[in-house]
């Protein structure tokens, strides 16, 4: 049995997609979803799907060993950031080398870094008149959106595509590929 722990800060549509993908695969368990947002929609999704979800505040995350202790108890084989917006502290990166992955809604290194998340990425892509965008799944290190790239997928953009259309195209790539990349990593 392999254990996944997910971190999320927002809507949690990727979390829901991952939970549903592994629902009928008994060899993989979603041990817990951890969130830093008390009112995040991801909490409702977890309640509906009957998956453990814990809220923590920023201090617990960055200035104490509270999250490390929780992770020690959960024994994750893989830690997955699915729309998680805080920087991962060095203590966590050190404790779980090559065991923390993140999904980013652009073709890194383009449109990455602090403040580049969610719709801000798609707005920048539109502004720069990009002819394609995509997703990047990468290992996490101490910097934002900087670790070794595991997987990328592209989608074409039309000049008329709105920010919402770009977000939808990228979302479709995320839902199609993220669970499979996670599964492959767990098998490797
Ligand atoms: C996803 O598009 C994910 O790639 C992005 O946040 C969204 C979360 O959506 N992550 C980042 O921008 C990280 N820099 P969701 O909460 O509906 O899964």
């Amino acid at each position: 049995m392999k254990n996944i722990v997910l971190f999320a800060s927002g809507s949690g549509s990727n979390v829901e997609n991952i939970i549903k993908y592994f629902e009928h695969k008994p060899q993989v368990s979603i041990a817990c979803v951890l969130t830093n947002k008390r009112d995040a929609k991801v909490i409702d999704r977890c309640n509906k799907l009957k998956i453990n979800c814990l809220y923590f505040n920023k201090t617990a995350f960055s200035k104490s060993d509270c999250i490390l202790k929780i992770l020690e108890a959960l024994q994750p084989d893989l830690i997955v950031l699915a729309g998680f917006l805080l920087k991962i502290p060095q203590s966590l990166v050190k404790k779980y080398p090559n065991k923390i992955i993140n999904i980013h809604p652009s073709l890194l290194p383009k449109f990455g870094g602090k403040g580049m998340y969610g719709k801000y990425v798609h707005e920048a892509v539109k502004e720069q008149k990009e002819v394609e965008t995509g997703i990047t799944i990468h290992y996490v290190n101490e910097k934002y959106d900087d670790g070794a790239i595991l997987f990328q997928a592209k989608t074409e953009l039309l000049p008329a595509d709105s920010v919402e259309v770009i977000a939808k195209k990228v979302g479709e790539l995320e839902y199609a590929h993220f669970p499979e990349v996670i599964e492959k990593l767990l098998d490797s």
Side-chain angles (χ1 to χ4, degrees):
M1 163 82 82
K2 296 281 174 85
N3 266 332
I4 304 175
V5 171
L6 293 153
F7 280 77
S9 302
S11 155
S13 66
N14 277 282
V15 164
E16 179 164 350
N17 184 50
I18 293 163
I19 291 170
K20 287 184 169 160
Y21 182 87
F22 288 109
E23 220 164 34
H24 302 293
K25 299 189 184 230
Q27 67 277 22
V28 175
S29 161
I30 310 295
C32 195
V33 177
L34 299 172
T35 183
N36 64 311
K37 281 272 160 70
R38 201 191 293 271
D39 55 355
K41 201 173 158 197
V42 70
I43 298 174
D44 299 330
R45 292 189 198 259
C46 289
N47 287 339
K48 279 197 191 112
L49 294 159
K50 303 202 183 332
I51 293 290
N52 295 326
C53 186
L54 290 180
Y55 157 77
F56 58 88
N57 67 22
K58 215 173 164 180
T59 310
F61 188 58
S62 51
K63 296 207 171 70
S64 79
D65 60 1
C66 167
I67 298 296
L68 272 177
K69 288 202 168 124
I70 288 172
L71 288 173
E72 260 167 38
L74 293 169
Q75 299 204 317
D77 295 287
L78 195 63
I79 296 168
V80 177
L81 312 186
F84 184 66
L85 302 182
L86 297 181
K87 191 144 98 172
I88 300 296
Q90 202 166 359
S91 53
L92 258 181
V93 175
K94 271 200 172 148
K95 178 92 194 268
Y96 294 99
N98 289 343
K99 278 198 176 178
I100 312 177
I101 64 167
N102 178 47
I103 189 159
H104 186 78
S106 77
L107 295 168
L108 289 175
K110 281 184 161 182
F111 307 105
K114 194 169 168 31
M116 274 299 190
Y117 60 88
K119 71 170 181 157
Y120 300 108
V121 175
H122 309 311
E123 281 171 3
V125 164
K126 171 89 185 152
E127 173 107 3
Q128 294 293 312
K129 300 185 170 46
E130 295 289 312
V131 294
E132 63 178 19
T133 188
I135 61 167
T136 303
I137 299 168
H138 64 94
Y139 284 117
V140 169
N141 65 14
E142 299 83 359
K143 297 185 199 151
Y144 278 111
D145 307 322
D146 186 64
I149 290 175
L150 283 157
F151 177 88
Q152 288 189 307
K154 290 179 183 175
T155 181
E156 273 181 28
L157 296 178
L158 303 171
D161 286 349
S162 63
V163 169
E164 291 72 27
V165 169
I166 298 172
K168 188 165 180 289
K169 286 181 171 180
V170 169
E172 280 163 9
L173 287 180
E174 295 190 324
Y175 305 147
H177 296 289
F178 202 14
E180 284 180 7
V181 172
I182 292 169
E183 189 172 36
K184 277 194 190 132
L185 269 179
L186 289 172
D187 282 347
S188 63

